[in-house]
């Protein structure tokens, strides 16, 4: 059933591959969901993209379904590993933050500071966090973020002023 469409898709027919996607999309997503993958839609999408780009590696045209499901399964496992690494990095970061946080700063003060930081534009927040929070030099921040030195200096100055206003400190 899939073999003629696979042959046409190998020949560059996007319409044939679209038909293959239409045939296999719901069952593949269902398989991924029933296998416990919350991000089944994203994983299936990644699998179809990978299948399209590597269609030339498929050995037997009539084995498309099994090949596609194998790709999806490997993508799902990769997704789990990436999520696990990300969670580990986040946990390490939280632990490092706890180690770096002075004992004299109350939790509510840290929350107020985070809320105030959240009011800053993204690039300004990055400059303030690195310069004032982690004692980076302006030059180091400029290099790391790819910003001109003058821009970093003005972001830090304006960001600091904004934080003082938001936190209710006299400037």
């Amino acid at each position: 059933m899939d073999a003629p469409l696979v042959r046409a898709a190998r020949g560059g027919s996007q319409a044939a591959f679209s038909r293959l996607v239409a045939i296999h999309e719901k069952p593949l997503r269902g398989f991924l969901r029933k296998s416990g993958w919350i991000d089944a839609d994203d994983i299936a999408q990644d699998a179809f993209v990978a299948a399209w780009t590597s269609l030339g590696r498929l050995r037997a045209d009539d084995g498309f379904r099994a090949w596609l499901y194998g790709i999806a399964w490997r993508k799902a496992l990769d997704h789990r590993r990436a999520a696990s690494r990300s969670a580990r990095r986040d946990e390490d970061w939280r632990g490092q933050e706890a180690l770096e946080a002075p004992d004299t700063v109350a939790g509510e003060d840290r929350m107020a500071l985070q809320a105030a930081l959240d009011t800053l534009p993204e690039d300004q927040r990055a400059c303030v966090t690195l310069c004032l929070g982690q004692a980076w030099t302006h030059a180091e921040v400029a290099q790391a973020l790819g910003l001109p030195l003058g821009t970093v200096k003005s972001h830090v100055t304006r960001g600091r002023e904004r934080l003082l206003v938001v936190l209710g400190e006299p400037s």
Side-chain angles (χ1 to χ4, degrees):
M1 173 174 160
D2 290 341
L5 291 171
V6 170
R7 279 191 291 280
R10 280 186 199 227
S13 172
Q14 291 181 358
F17 192 77
S18 292
R19 182 71 185 125
L20 286 167
V21 170
I23 291 168
H24 295 288
E25 181 178 23
K26 284 184 183 179
L28 180 62
R29 289 173 197 254
F31 160 71
L32 291 167
R33 280 192 194 100
K34 288 175 185 167
S35 297
W37 300 101
I38 295 170
D39 298 331
D41 294 338
D42 293 338
I43 295 166
Q45 181 72 25
D46 288 346
F48 283 116
V49 169
W52 172 251
T53 60
S54 60
L55 200 53
R57 294 188 197 129
L58 176 61
R59 292 186 191 141
D61 292 348
D62 58 351
F64 179 79
R65 183 176 66 169
W67 179 72
L68 174 65
Y69 276 57
I71 290 172
W73 184 249
R74 286 186 297 282
K75 291 282 183 190
L77 295 176
D78 289 347
H79 183 78
R80 178 190 295 147
R81 282 189 290 271
S84 175
R85 282 190 305 268
S86 178
R88 227 178 359 263
R89 277 192 307 268
D90 288 350
E91 194 57 39
D92 289 347
W93 178 80
R94 282 189 208 97
Q96 188 62 31
E97 283 283 304
L99 290 175
E100 292 175 359
D103 294 333
T104 58
V105 178
E108 57 272 0
D109 290 338
R110 278 193 293 259
M111 289 174 33
L113 177 59
Q114 185 59 54
L117 281 168
D118 289 344
T119 66
L120 300 177
E122 187 176 76
D123 53 346
Q124 198 175 70
R125 182 173 52 240
C127 292
V128 166
T129 301
L130 291 174
C131 285
L132 301 181
Q134 297 193 11
W136 285 35
T137 67
H138 290 133
E140 290 172 324
V141 174
Q143 181 180 7
L145 301 181
L147 295 172
L149 182 60
T151 300
V152 170
K153 290 178 179 181
S154 66
H155 279 344
V156 171
T157 300
R158 289 185 185 121
R160 181 182 180 283
E161 290 170 357
R162 174 77 180 139
L163 287 177
L164 291 173
V165 168
V166 170
L167 293 171
E169 301 286 329
S171 45

